[in-house]
Amino acid sequence: MSAPREAAERVQALRDEIERHNHAYHVLDAPTVPDAEYDRLFRELQALEADHPELCAPDSPTQRVGGKPLPQFAAVRHAVPMLSIKTETDTGPSGAIHFDTRVRRALGLGEDAPALEYAAELKFDGLAISLRYEAGILVRAATRGDGETGEDVTRNVRTIHRIPLRLHGAAIPELLEVRGEVFMSRPDFERYNARQRERNKPVLVNPRNGAAGSIRQLDPKIAAGRPLSFYAYGLGETRDWPLPESHSEVLDALEKLGIPVCEHRTVTHGADGLVAFHASILALRDTLPFDIDGVVYKVNSRALQERLGFSTREPRWAVAHKYPAQEALTQVLGIEVQVGRTGKLTPVARLKPVFVGGVTVTNATLHNEDEIRRKDVRIGDTVIVRRAGDVIPEVFAVIKERRPKDVEQQEQWSLAKAVGNKCPACQSAIERAEGEADWRCTAGLYCPAQRKQAILHFASRRALDIEGLGEKLVEQLVEQEWVTSVADLYDAGRINAAALAGLERMGEKSAQNIVDAIEKSKTPTLARLIYALGIRNVGEATAKDLARYFGDLAALMVADAEALQRVHDVGPVVAESIAHFFAEAHNREVIARLEQAGVRGRAEPRQAEARAVLQGLTFVLSGTLPRLTREEAAALIEAKGGKVSGSVSKKTDYVVAGEDAGSKLEKAHALGVAILDEDGLRRLLETQVEQPSG
Ligand code: IVH
């Protein structure tokens, strides 16, 4: 039976409108509609699709929430092969000069021919994907595979919000294949891993694996739970599309169709222009929110590209020009053990100094004893050291082939043996609890190393942000026993400008600055204060959840394990850590002294005028959202007048679904209840308009 015409027309109108708003929100970053309105449209569309299954379509925005797992991926043959490009590994200017010289020679250009025009862009570090749009609709997404045949990963790619399910604009081509890179941004990667760690779930090794791994998941809900991005860099097959004359104009045209294209690109001339681009992007590299391993140069004119053609597998008109690797080979000279803030003993490799991605590295973390065993790291081994962004360098892998004979004989490294069963800082006993990866010093804040780290943590940028209270100063303060707990920082009898000025490397001016910074730190948000206390297993995200749930420190301090576990993401282990922390008399004393000194956590103010926006709406939370905890989501909904319920019924207005949403999501589908992902929820929450009654 075919759907009534009005239903079909309404469905189409809704999809067009929703996708327009999606594009404005995700690509242009400029929302065009009050969020409650967006969600009403979305809900209406879901209800219509549930009533008329025959109207379901691949480009419906409702397809972005994932679906059932696949048994395997289907093979996709690429009509236009997906080629790779030659790489210039010389990271200096000669990489660009060689390319320009080769191209000019191949085109038969003489010495005094004018400089060639090039398009220059970033080399993204993710997974190559081909997106096929037929009559403007995303019908297939495929991996590169061997270049001739890839895998059909359409359903996973549909969960990437930045990729339009339908092209925009008036001039929609009959067929358009867009090629580009799917990747995970570094903030998204770090947020995802932090959340996984807090839930004791596996973390991603690096953003590249995060992106590639998500796309290759047979269960699209896993891809939907991981925040991915996409940038286009080229074309595959096209039909009935007026091809622009240059590569840069192709990218401009794709952008107009709603496809994400990276802003860091340029059109330039000659080898000099390429060298300048290479240098300017290198200077930017650490500030980009995603990893790149180089830049790409392309002859801009498509006519010239055609003349240049291909050599076996690579186009002669394009090249990748690398940057210094973020990895290097070096030798492990020794393994030391460092004591962290919570007493955790971390093995650190002392390395033969090596230059990695612009800095000299002499130490790299080995994480823990099990990791050393898993990677089989031994003293004397040649290893790959990796650093990325500001992250601490790590020993990534051992080159077994380079292991000397005598190292082969070495017995497996054991932490307890290495430190003679004693904390290397205070000689107290150490322990490794059942089921835990880490050894710990049992002395708590009596251990000077823990004290020092606890103070550094308290003062760190994301905690109370006391500028100038760095490692060297804290070391002196702890060693001279001026400061034994963080409360001592606020004791003017101990810490004042005159006293500080007498310390090593400390002038009067900087001493005064530190005193001012300490004074300024007295009114943090409650979440920062909780985080600053350094409770084991309480990271920033959990501290925020706790602050929202309890509202003030006094309420948190008296909460028992049962009450604590009502906060989302707080399970028995975290609850036990918190309860244990506040049960310790010396911790309570430190908090009392902080309070006396005037250190108070501010609860986040609730917006009274926004409270009514979700009045009368009932929400059900299901699965794991990429950034918000369940408790955060619930608190946000309730702060705006909405209700959060545990089970889905006809009365439910919205199901907010994340990773592993399971049966509640299915029930929502069956009942035609509107489904939101985290972005949808955020839009709804940010809206300023009143919800009309009814
Ligand atoms: S152009 C025919 N441009 O690097 C030219 N590739 O070997 C096709 N990549 O697998 C590639 N950023 O996934 C091109 N701006 C960019 C790129 C880029 C990253 C990847 C691509 C390909 C590999 C090149």
Short mmCIF file of all heavy atoms in Angstrom, two decimals, residues 81-87 120-129 144 179-182 208 231-235 247 251 292-298 310 313-315 317-320, ligand 1:
data_model
loop_
_atom_site.label_atom_id
_atom_site.label_comp_id
_atom_site.label_asym_id
_atom_site.label_seq_id
_atom_site.Cartn_x
_atom_site.Cartn_y
_atom_site.Cartn_z
N PRO A 81 39.57 4.53 -9.80
CA PRO A 81 40.36 3.98 -8.69
C PRO A 81 40.74 5.04 -7.67
O PRO A 81 40.89 6.21 -8.01
CB PRO A 81 41.62 3.42 -9.37
CG PRO A 81 41.42 3.54 -10.83
CD PRO A 81 40.20 4.35 -11.10
N MET A 82 40.89 4.61 -6.42
CA MET A 82 41.34 5.54 -5.37
C MET A 82 42.85 5.38 -5.24
O MET A 82 43.32 4.41 -4.65
CB MET A 82 40.66 5.22 -4.04
CG MET A 82 39.21 5.65 -4.00
SD MET A 82 38.43 5.28 -2.41
CE MET A 82 39.00 6.64 -1.39
N LEU A 83 43.56 6.34 -5.80
CA LEU A 83 45.02 6.22 -5.84
C LEU A 83 45.65 6.82 -4.59
O LEU A 83 45.02 7.58 -3.87
CB LEU A 83 45.55 6.94 -7.06
CG LEU A 83 45.03 6.39 -8.38
CD1 LEU A 83 45.43 7.29 -9.52
CD2 LEU A 83 45.54 4.97 -8.60
N SER A 84 46.90 6.47 -4.40
CA SER A 84 47.63 7.18 -3.35
C SER A 84 48.58 8.15 -4.04
O SER A 84 48.65 8.20 -5.27
CB SER A 84 48.39 6.19 -2.47
OG SER A 84 49.35 5.54 -3.25
N ILE A 85 49.27 8.94 -3.24
CA ILE A 85 50.20 9.89 -3.84
C ILE A 85 51.61 9.64 -3.35
O ILE A 85 51.82 9.05 -2.30
CB ILE A 85 49.79 11.36 -3.56
CG1 ILE A 85 49.30 11.54 -2.13
CG2 ILE A 85 48.76 11.83 -4.55
CD1 ILE A 85 48.87 12.97 -1.84
N LYS A 86 52.53 10.11 -4.17
CA LYS A 86 53.95 9.98 -3.82
C LYS A 86 54.24 10.85 -2.60
O LYS A 86 53.62 11.90 -2.42
CB LYS A 86 54.77 10.47 -5.02
CG LYS A 86 56.26 10.33 -4.89
CD LYS A 86 56.92 10.89 -6.16
CE LYS A 86 58.37 11.28 -5.92
NZ LYS A 86 59.24 10.13 -5.68
N THR A 87 55.18 10.39 -1.79
CA THR A 87 55.54 11.15 -0.59
C THR A 87 56.96 11.66 -0.71
O THR A 87 57.87 10.89 -1.01
CB THR A 87 55.42 10.25 0.65
OG1 THR A 87 54.07 9.80 0.74
CG2 THR A 87 55.77 11.01 1.90
N ALA A 120 47.54 24.06 -2.48
CA ALA A 120 48.25 23.45 -1.36
C ALA A 120 47.25 23.24 -0.22
O ALA A 120 46.43 24.11 0.07
CB ALA A 120 49.39 24.34 -0.89
N GLU A 121 47.30 22.06 0.39
CA GLU A 121 46.34 21.75 1.47
C GLU A 121 47.00 20.85 2.50
O GLU A 121 48.18 20.53 2.39
CB GLU A 121 45.08 21.11 0.87
CG GLU A 121 45.35 19.89 0.04
CD GLU A 121 44.23 19.61 -0.97
OE1 GLU A 121 43.79 20.53 -1.67
OE2 GLU A 121 43.82 18.45 -1.05
N LEU A 122 46.26 20.46 3.50
CA LEU A 122 46.81 19.64 4.57
C LEU A 122 46.74 18.16 4.21
O LEU A 122 45.88 17.74 3.45
CB LEU A 122 46.03 19.86 5.87
CG LEU A 122 45.90 21.30 6.35
CD1 LEU A 122 45.18 21.36 7.69
CD2 LEU A 122 47.27 21.95 6.44
N LYS A 123 47.66 17.39 4.76
CA LYS A 123 47.55 15.95 4.64
C LYS A 123 46.96 15.41 5.94
O LYS A 123 47.63 15.36 6.97
CB LYS A 123 48.90 15.31 4.37
CG LYS A 123 48.78 13.82 4.13
CD LYS A 123 50.02 13.24 3.49
CE LYS A 123 49.81 11.82 3.00
NZ LYS A 123 49.29 10.90 3.99
N PHE A 124 45.70 15.07 5.86
CA PHE A 124 44.98 14.61 7.05
C PHE A 124 45.40 13.19 7.38
O PHE A 124 45.72 12.40 6.48
CB PHE A 124 43.47 14.67 6.79
CG PHE A 124 43.04 15.99 6.24
CD1 PHE A 124 42.70 16.12 4.91
CD2 PHE A 124 43.02 17.12 7.04
CE1 PHE A 124 42.34 17.34 4.38
CE2 PHE A 124 42.66 18.35 6.53
CZ PHE A 124 42.32 18.46 5.19
N ASP A 125 45.36 12.85 8.66
CA ASP A 125 45.84 11.54 9.08
C ASP A 125 44.67 10.71 9.61
O ASP A 125 44.42 10.66 10.80
CB ASP A 125 46.91 11.75 10.17
CG ASP A 125 47.72 10.49 10.39
OD1 ASP A 125 47.63 9.57 9.56
OD2 ASP A 125 48.43 10.43 11.41
N GLY A 126 43.97 10.12 8.69
CA GLY A 126 42.80 9.32 9.09
C GLY A 126 42.61 8.18 8.12
O GLY A 126 43.55 7.44 7.83
N LEU A 127 41.40 8.08 7.60
CA LEU A 127 41.07 6.98 6.71
C LEU A 127 40.42 7.56 5.45
O LEU A 127 39.48 8.37 5.55
CB LEU A 127 40.06 6.07 7.43
CG LEU A 127 39.65 4.80 6.73
CD1 LEU A 127 40.79 3.80 6.75
CD2 LEU A 127 38.42 4.20 7.40
N ALA A 128 40.91 7.16 4.28
CA ALA A 128 40.35 7.67 3.02
C ALA A 128 38.97 7.06 2.78
O ALA A 128 38.76 5.86 2.97
CB ALA A 128 41.28 7.33 1.86
N ILE A 129 38.03 7.91 2.38
CA ILE A 129 36.66 7.46 2.15
C ILE A 129 36.15 8.06 0.85
O ILE A 129 36.47 9.20 0.51
CB ILE A 129 35.74 7.92 3.32
CG1 ILE A 129 36.04 7.14 4.60
CG2 ILE A 129 34.26 7.80 2.98
CD1 ILE A 129 35.54 5.71 4.59
N ARG A 144 38.94 2.79 0.92
CA ARG A 144 39.78 2.70 -0.27
C ARG A 144 40.11 1.24 -0.62
O ARG A 144 40.20 0.89 -1.79
CB ARG A 144 41.07 3.46 0.02
CG ARG A 144 41.94 3.51 -1.16
CD ARG A 144 43.14 4.36 -0.90
NE ARG A 144 44.26 3.63 -1.45
CZ ARG A 144 45.51 3.91 -1.25
NH1 ARG A 144 45.84 4.92 -0.50
NH2 ARG A 144 46.44 3.20 -1.80
N ARG A 179 35.85 12.44 -2.56
CA ARG A 179 36.86 11.71 -1.80
C ARG A 179 37.47 12.58 -0.72
O ARG A 179 37.68 13.77 -0.92
CB ARG A 179 37.94 11.18 -2.72
CG ARG A 179 37.49 9.80 -3.18
CD ARG A 179 37.67 9.59 -4.61
NE ARG A 179 36.93 8.40 -5.04
CZ ARG A 179 37.33 7.62 -6.02
NH1 ARG A 179 38.45 7.89 -6.67
NH2 ARG A 179 36.61 6.58 -6.36
N GLY A 180 37.72 11.98 0.39
CA GLY A 180 38.28 12.75 1.49
C GLY A 180 38.68 11.85 2.63
O GLY A 180 38.72 10.62 2.49
N GLU A 181 38.95 12.47 3.76
CA GLU A 181 39.49 11.74 4.90
C GLU A 181 38.54 11.82 6.09
O GLU A 181 38.10 12.91 6.46
CB GLU A 181 40.85 12.37 5.26
CG GLU A 181 41.74 11.48 6.07
CD GLU A 181 42.67 10.62 5.21
OE1 GLU A 181 42.46 10.50 3.97
OE2 GLU A 181 43.61 10.06 5.79
N VAL A 182 38.24 10.67 6.66
CA VAL A 182 37.52 10.64 7.93
C VAL A 182 38.57 10.61 9.04
O VAL A 182 39.54 9.87 8.96
CB VAL A 182 36.64 9.37 8.04
CG1 VAL A 182 36.14 9.17 9.46
CG2 VAL A 182 35.45 9.49 7.09
N ARG A 208 44.04 8.34 14.92
CA ARG A 208 43.99 7.66 13.62
C ARG A 208 43.30 6.31 13.76
O ARG A 208 42.39 5.98 13.00
CB ARG A 208 45.41 7.46 13.10
CG ARG A 208 45.44 7.37 11.64
CD ARG A 208 46.68 6.80 11.01
NE ARG A 208 46.25 6.34 9.72
CZ ARG A 208 45.67 5.18 9.52
NH1 ARG A 208 45.51 4.35 10.52
NH2 ARG A 208 45.25 4.85 8.32
N TYR A 231 36.97 15.75 6.03
CA TYR A 231 37.30 16.82 5.08
C TYR A 231 37.47 16.22 3.69
O TYR A 231 38.12 15.19 3.54
CB TYR A 231 38.59 17.54 5.46
CG TYR A 231 38.42 18.57 6.54
CD1 TYR A 231 39.32 18.62 7.61
CD2 TYR A 231 37.39 19.52 6.48
CE1 TYR A 231 39.17 19.58 8.61
CE2 TYR A 231 37.25 20.47 7.47
CZ TYR A 231 38.13 20.50 8.53
OH TYR A 231 38.00 21.45 9.51
N ALA A 232 36.90 16.90 2.69
CA ALA A 232 37.03 16.45 1.31
C ALA A 232 38.33 16.97 0.71
O ALA A 232 38.77 18.07 1.03
CB ALA A 232 35.85 16.97 0.49
N TYR A 233 38.96 16.16 -0.18
CA TYR A 233 40.14 16.64 -0.90
C TYR A 233 40.15 16.30 -2.38
O TYR A 233 41.12 16.54 -3.06
CB TYR A 233 41.43 16.18 -0.23
CG TYR A 233 41.54 14.68 -0.02
CD1 TYR A 233 41.57 13.79 -1.09
CD2 TYR A 233 41.62 14.16 1.27
CE1 TYR A 233 41.67 12.43 -0.90
CE2 TYR A 233 41.74 12.79 1.48
CZ TYR A 233 41.75 11.93 0.39
OH TYR A 233 41.85 10.58 0.58
N GLY A 234 39.08 15.68 -2.88
CA GLY A 234 39.10 15.36 -4.31
C GLY A 234 37.81 14.73 -4.79
O GLY A 234 36.80 14.68 -4.07
N LEU A 235 37.86 14.22 -6.03
CA LEU A 235 36.68 13.66 -6.68
C LEU A 235 36.93 12.25 -7.16
O LEU A 235 38.07 11.87 -7.44
CB LEU A 235 36.34 14.49 -7.92
CG LEU A 235 35.84 15.92 -7.73
CD1 LEU A 235 35.61 16.55 -9.10
CD2 LEU A 235 34.56 15.93 -6.91
N HIS A 247 41.54 22.55 -9.41
CA HIS A 247 41.30 21.79 -8.19
C HIS A 247 40.73 22.68 -7.08
O HIS A 247 39.78 22.30 -6.39
CB HIS A 247 42.60 21.14 -7.72
CG HIS A 247 42.48 20.41 -6.43
ND1 HIS A 247 41.83 19.20 -6.31
CD2 HIS A 247 42.89 20.73 -5.17
CE1 HIS A 247 41.85 18.81 -5.05
NE2 HIS A 247 42.49 19.73 -4.34
N LEU A 251 37.13 22.24 -4.95
CA LEU A 251 36.89 22.24 -3.50
C LEU A 251 35.89 23.33 -3.12
O LEU A 251 35.01 23.11 -2.28
CB LEU A 251 38.20 22.42 -2.73
CG LEU A 251 39.23 21.29 -2.88
CD1 LEU A 251 40.41 21.51 -1.94
CD2 LEU A 251 38.62 19.91 -2.62
N ILE A 292 48.12 16.05 11.57
CA ILE A 292 48.50 15.97 10.16
C ILE A 292 49.93 15.46 10.12
O ILE A 292 50.67 15.65 11.07
CB ILE A 292 48.43 17.34 9.44
CG1 ILE A 292 49.31 18.38 10.14
CG2 ILE A 292 47.00 17.85 9.36
CD1 ILE A 292 49.50 19.65 9.33
N ASP A 293 50.28 14.77 9.03
CA ASP A 293 51.69 14.37 8.97
C ASP A 293 52.41 15.08 7.84
O ASP A 293 53.53 14.72 7.49
CB ASP A 293 51.84 12.85 8.91
CG ASP A 293 51.04 12.22 7.81
OD1 ASP A 293 50.34 12.96 7.09
OD2 ASP A 293 51.11 10.99 7.66
N GLY A 294 51.75 16.06 7.24
CA GLY A 294 52.41 16.82 6.19
C GLY A 294 51.41 17.69 5.46
O GLY A 294 50.29 17.90 5.95
N VAL A 295 51.84 18.20 4.31
CA VAL A 295 50.93 18.95 3.45
C VAL A 295 50.91 18.28 2.09
O VAL A 295 51.73 17.40 1.80
CB VAL A 295 51.36 20.43 3.32
CG1 VAL A 295 51.12 21.18 4.62
CG2 VAL A 295 52.80 20.55 2.89
N VAL A 296 49.94 18.65 1.26
CA VAL A 296 49.82 18.07 -0.08
C VAL A 296 49.84 19.20 -1.10
O VAL A 296 49.17 20.22 -0.90
CB VAL A 296 48.51 17.25 -0.21
CG1 VAL A 296 48.34 16.73 -1.64
CG2 VAL A 296 48.51 16.08 0.77
N TYR A 297 50.63 19.04 -2.15
CA TYR A 297 50.64 20.02 -3.24
C TYR A 297 50.00 19.38 -4.47
O TYR A 297 50.28 18.22 -4.77
CB TYR A 297 52.07 20.42 -3.61
CG TYR A 297 52.95 20.79 -2.44
CD1 TYR A 297 54.26 20.30 -2.37
CD2 TYR A 297 52.48 21.64 -1.44
CE1 TYR A 297 55.09 20.64 -1.31
CE2 TYR A 297 53.30 21.98 -0.38
CZ TYR A 297 54.60 21.47 -0.31
OH TYR A 297 55.42 21.81 0.74
N LYS A 298 49.18 20.15 -5.17
CA LYS A 298 48.56 19.63 -6.39
C LYS A 298 48.65 20.69 -7.48
O LYS A 298 48.41 21.88 -7.19
CB LYS A 298 47.07 19.30 -6.13
CG LYS A 298 46.90 18.18 -5.12
CD LYS A 298 45.46 17.99 -4.67
CE LYS A 298 45.41 16.91 -3.60
NZ LYS A 298 44.09 16.76 -2.99
N PHE A 310 49.50 9.83 -15.02
CA PHE A 310 49.90 8.97 -13.91
C PHE A 310 51.15 8.18 -14.22
O PHE A 310 51.41 7.85 -15.37
CB PHE A 310 48.77 7.98 -13.61
CG PHE A 310 47.50 8.67 -13.21
CD1 PHE A 310 46.62 9.14 -14.18
CD2 PHE A 310 47.20 8.85 -11.88
CE1 PHE A 310 45.46 9.80 -13.81
CE2 PHE A 310 46.04 9.50 -11.50
CZ PHE A 310 45.17 9.98 -12.47
N ARG A 313 51.04 3.91 -10.23
CA ARG A 313 49.92 4.01 -9.30
C ARG A 313 49.67 5.42 -8.79
O ARG A 313 48.74 5.65 -8.04
CB ARG A 313 50.18 3.11 -8.08
CG ARG A 313 50.15 1.65 -8.39
CD ARG A 313 50.29 0.86 -7.10
NE ARG A 313 49.28 1.27 -6.11
CZ ARG A 313 48.07 0.73 -6.02
NH1 ARG A 313 47.72 -0.23 -6.84
NH2 ARG A 313 47.23 1.15 -5.11
N GLU A 314 50.54 6.35 -9.16
CA GLU A 314 50.43 7.67 -8.56
C GLU A 314 50.30 8.77 -9.61
O GLU A 314 50.91 8.70 -10.66
CB GLU A 314 51.70 7.96 -7.73
CG GLU A 314 51.84 7.05 -6.54
CD GLU A 314 53.29 6.87 -6.12
OE1 GLU A 314 54.19 7.27 -6.88
OE2 GLU A 314 53.50 6.30 -5.04
N PRO A 315 49.49 9.80 -9.28
CA PRO A 315 49.42 10.93 -10.21
C PRO A 315 50.73 11.71 -10.19
O PRO A 315 51.36 11.83 -9.15
CB PRO A 315 48.28 11.78 -9.62
CG PRO A 315 48.17 11.39 -8.20
CD PRO A 315 48.65 9.98 -8.08
N TRP A 317 50.86 14.80 -10.79
CA TRP A 317 50.53 16.19 -10.48
C TRP A 317 50.32 16.48 -8.99
O TRP A 317 49.94 17.58 -8.61
CB TRP A 317 49.29 16.63 -11.26
CG TRP A 317 48.17 15.60 -11.23
CD1 TRP A 317 47.92 14.65 -12.17
CD2 TRP A 317 47.17 15.43 -10.22
NE1 TRP A 317 46.84 13.88 -11.81
CE2 TRP A 317 46.35 14.35 -10.62
CE3 TRP A 317 46.88 16.08 -9.02
CZ2 TRP A 317 45.27 13.91 -9.86
CZ3 TRP A 317 45.81 15.64 -8.26
CH2 TRP A 317 45.02 14.56 -8.69
N ALA A 318 50.55 15.45 -8.14
CA ALA A 318 50.34 15.67 -6.70
C ALA A 318 51.47 15.03 -5.91
O ALA A 318 52.06 14.04 -6.34
CB ALA A 318 49.01 15.09 -6.26
N VAL A 319 51.74 15.59 -4.76
CA VAL A 319 52.74 14.99 -3.87
C VAL A 319 52.40 15.34 -2.43
O VAL A 319 51.79 16.38 -2.16
CB VAL A 319 54.16 15.49 -4.24
CG1 VAL A 319 54.43 16.89 -3.70
CG2 VAL A 319 55.23 14.53 -3.73
N ALA A 320 52.77 14.44 -1.54
CA ALA A 320 52.65 14.75 -0.10
C ALA A 320 54.03 15.13 0.39
O ALA A 320 55.00 14.46 0.10
CB ALA A 320 52.15 13.52 0.66
S1 IVH B 1 44.91 13.42 -2.67
C1 IVH B 1 44.90 11.14 -6.56
N1 IVH B 1 44.85 15.06 -0.62
O1 IVH B 1 46.83 10.47 1.93
C2 IVH B 1 45.18 11.85 -5.30
N2 IVH B 1 45.18 12.75 -0.16
O2 IVH B 1 48.51 8.66 -0.43
C3 IVH B 1 44.50 11.23 -4.15
N3 IVH B 1 45.33 12.21 2.24
O3 IVH B 1 45.19 7.70 1.05
C4 IVH B 1 44.89 11.69 -2.81
N4 IVH B 1 45.08 14.27 2.98
O4 IVH B 1 43.73 9.30 2.23
C5 IVH B 1 44.99 13.78 -1.01
N5 IVH B 1 44.73 16.63 1.09
C6 IVH B 1 44.86 15.37 0.69
C7 IVH B 1 45.04 14.31 1.62
C8 IVH B 1 45.19 13.02 1.15
C9 IVH B 1 45.25 13.01 3.31
C10 IVH B 1 45.54 10.77 2.30
C11 IVH B 1 44.65 9.98 1.42
C12 IVH B 1 45.50 8.99 0.69
C13 IVH B 1 46.87 9.32 1.14
C14 IVH B 1 47.72 9.68 -0.04
#
